[in-house]
Amino acid sequence: MKSIRTIGVPAALGIAALTAAGCGDSSEPAADNIRVGVVYYDQSDTFLGALTEALREDLAEYKTESRNITMMLRTSEGSQDTQNEQVSELIEAGCNVLCINLVDRSLPSDIIDMASQEELPIIFFNREPVAEDMELWEKTYYVGADARQSGQMQGELAAETILNKDADRNHDGVIQYVVLEGEAGHQDAIVRTESSVETIENEGIVLEKLSYQMANWNRAQAQNRVEQLEAQFTGKIELILANNDDMALGAVDAYEKLNYTENTWPLIFGVDGTDAGLAALQEGKIDGTVYNDKEGQAAAIARLAVAAVTGEGMDEISFDQYHSIYIPYFKITEE
Ligand code: GAL
Ligand code: CA
């Protein structure tokens, strides 16, 4: 598209020189030495830790004899102000492209301002800015996944298991459930919960919500919430829908601590397919998860980052909507 429009330098300088414009103190042309600034919201996040490691490997594959690529990684410890400062430092350090996992997805404008002033492409990932913000600077992109799809798949897995296993422990014809929610305001929390519940109900299963608890994608917080819930609802919970695997594993931790066994604790479903999540699935500790394709997302980010800096291959990248790429999820069961 219009990916290399008005940059205000004579066209004769060529793409390499153009893209080097405004990249702090970098002396080499950007296309020969690409510095990729990567920032994610919090170091404790399992899924993003793994995604950014995959990204590091993918970027290395774009190195050639004449082109070096370095990735500079920062984590923002849950503070948008910290992240804004980190982005400013990465720009100072000569980054040619920014890959940003926002702390607060409603507050990308400072970062967009800084990047657009320096004509730097930004690839937001995993925490999606709203459409109006995406349009503030034309070299703004997003790579993520469709939250609704993950909820639907989790719901399908849960419905199938409920219908095949004796999930209705108290035989009242209703499945008593709780939700472990990711984070207030996160697209993957709200939408996953809604669509998971809706999908189960569409299969003709009657649900009763006992509680939903925010556990910030975090295993220890989820464990804590589930211990409290069991103190309140002793043995009544038949199903736990967790917005991610870490929280599903936190539920398992709680039941192990309370001396339940796999057969007596509720059905538990997660999302992500992290290494620990897959291991728990294999051991029968959780009942299903939906693979959040971190390899696919990392590959798309790497490709877009290199194309956005060099201008090469941009035409071949297809977007699902405006400048956004959504990588499909897929279901994983023990089988
Ligand atoms: C979700 C993922 C969670 C967490 C969150 C962070 O897509 O399922 O585990 O990483 O992103 O934004
Ligand atoms: Ca029941």
Side-chain angles (χ1 to χ4, degrees):
M1 277 196 53
K2 301 176 285 181
S3 55
I4 38 170
R5 45 124 232 191
T6 50
I7 301 189
V9 193
L13 286 178
I15 286 169
L18 281 179
T19 48
C23 294
D25 50 11
S26 86
S27 46
E28 290 163 75
D32 295 344
N33 188 11
I34 302 177
R35 292 185 185 84
V36 184
V38 180
V39 189
Y40 68 97
Y41 81 105
D42 197 297
Q43 197 187 3
S44 71
D45 192 284
T46 308
F47 173 75
L48 288 165
L51 189 157
T52 47
E53 276 323 298
L55 176 59
R56 187 186 293 285
E57 286 170 24
D58 287 329
L59 285 168
E61 290 188 8
Y62 286 92
K63 281 186 192 170
T64 62
E65 261 172 36
S66 58
R67 181 207 283 150
N68 189 31
I69 301 190
T70 27
M71 171 167 135
M72 298 164 85
L73 180 66
R74 303 283 182 276
T75 55
S76 311
E77 311 326 325
S79 157
Q80 190 58 59
D81 287 340
T82 301
Q83 182 166 80
N84 295 351
E85 277 163 35
Q86 289 169 325
V87 168
S88 160
E89 283 161 21
L90 287 168
I91 294 175
E92 285 282 295
C95 282
N96 312 102
V97 52
L98 300 166
C99 303
I100 308 291
N101 173 254
L102 289 161
V103 176
D104 184 338
R105 73 185 187 104
S106 70
L107 292 177
S109 58
D110 286 349
I111 290 176
I112 295 174
D113 279 352
M114 289 188 268
S116 64
Q117 266 167 30
E118 303 292 331
E119 308 270 356
L120 295 177
I122 320 175
I123 303 165
F124 288 109
F125 63 100
N126 171 269
R127 296 158 81 93
E128 187 172 15
V130 297
E132 295 101 77
D133 288 333
M134 286 292 297
E135 287 167 20
L136 289 173
W137 157 231
E138 76 167 308
K139 289 190 187 177
T140 301
Y141 304 91
Y142 177 71
V143 174
D146 173 14
R148 181 156 302 281
Q149 186 190 34
S150 57
Q152 264 162 12
M153 288 182 169
Q154 186 187 60
E156 286 164 14
L157 286 170
E160 216 172 290
T161 316
I162 290 166
L163 296 171
N164 290 327
K165 278 196 186 173
D166 186 23
D168 182 15
R169 298 261 166 80
N170 65 351
H171 306 289
D172 65 349
V174 176
I175 300 297
Q176 280 73 25
Y177 78 102
V178 303
V179 176
L180 295 174
E181 288 227 337
E183 214 182 322
H186 192 305
Q187 82 278 346
D188 287 348
I190 314 161
V191 180
R192 271 180 196 165
T193 303
E194 268 173 17
S195 55
S196 179
V197 169
E198 195 181 280
T199 305
I200 300 172
E201 289 178 333
N202 286 344
E203 293 296 318
I205 294 163
V206 185
L207 293 176
E208 180 192 354
K209 181 164 80 190
L210 295 180
S211 180
Y212 69 87
Q213 296 288 324
M214 210 68 91
N216 293 307
W217 310 113
N218 182 281
R219 183 166 179 161
Q221 286 185 36
Q223 173 180 349
N224 190 281
R225 300 290 179 278
V226 172
E227 283 175 24
Q228 283 169 7
L229 287 170
E230 276 303 333
Q232 192 180 348
F233 297 109
T234 353
K236 289 211 186 84
I237 303 168
E238 296 172 333
L239 168 68
I240 296 186
L241 299 173
N243 284 165
N244 78 343
D245 283 358
D246 268 6
M247 295 188 293
L249 293 165
V252 170
D253 295 340
Y255 286 108
E256 287 183 336
K257 192 169 160 204
L258 297 169
N259 290 321
Y260 280 67
T261 61
E262 280 113 88
N263 303 325
T264 56
W265 72 56
L267 297 178
I268 302 176
F269 294 88
V271 175
D272 276 344
T274 58
D275 291 347
L278 294 178
L281 181 61
Q282 226 152 24
E283 291 166 23
K285 292 183 173 179
I286 66 170
D287 299 275
T289 187
V290 176
Y291 201 73
N292 195 355
D293 186 2
K294 56 182 182 301
E295 290 79 11
Q297 292 167 36
I301 297 168
R303 183 174 179 206
L304 199 51
V306 175
V309 173
T310 62
E312 290 160 29
M314 204 63 189
D315 298 346
E316 287 134 50
I317 295 179
S318 57
F319 295 99
D320 294 300
Q321 150 194 322
Y322 183 57
H323 282 181
S324 297
I325 298 176
Y326 300 102
I327 305 291
Y329 286 96
F330 47 92
K331 292 189 242 181
I332 305 188
T333 59
E334 202 180 332
E335 292 80 62

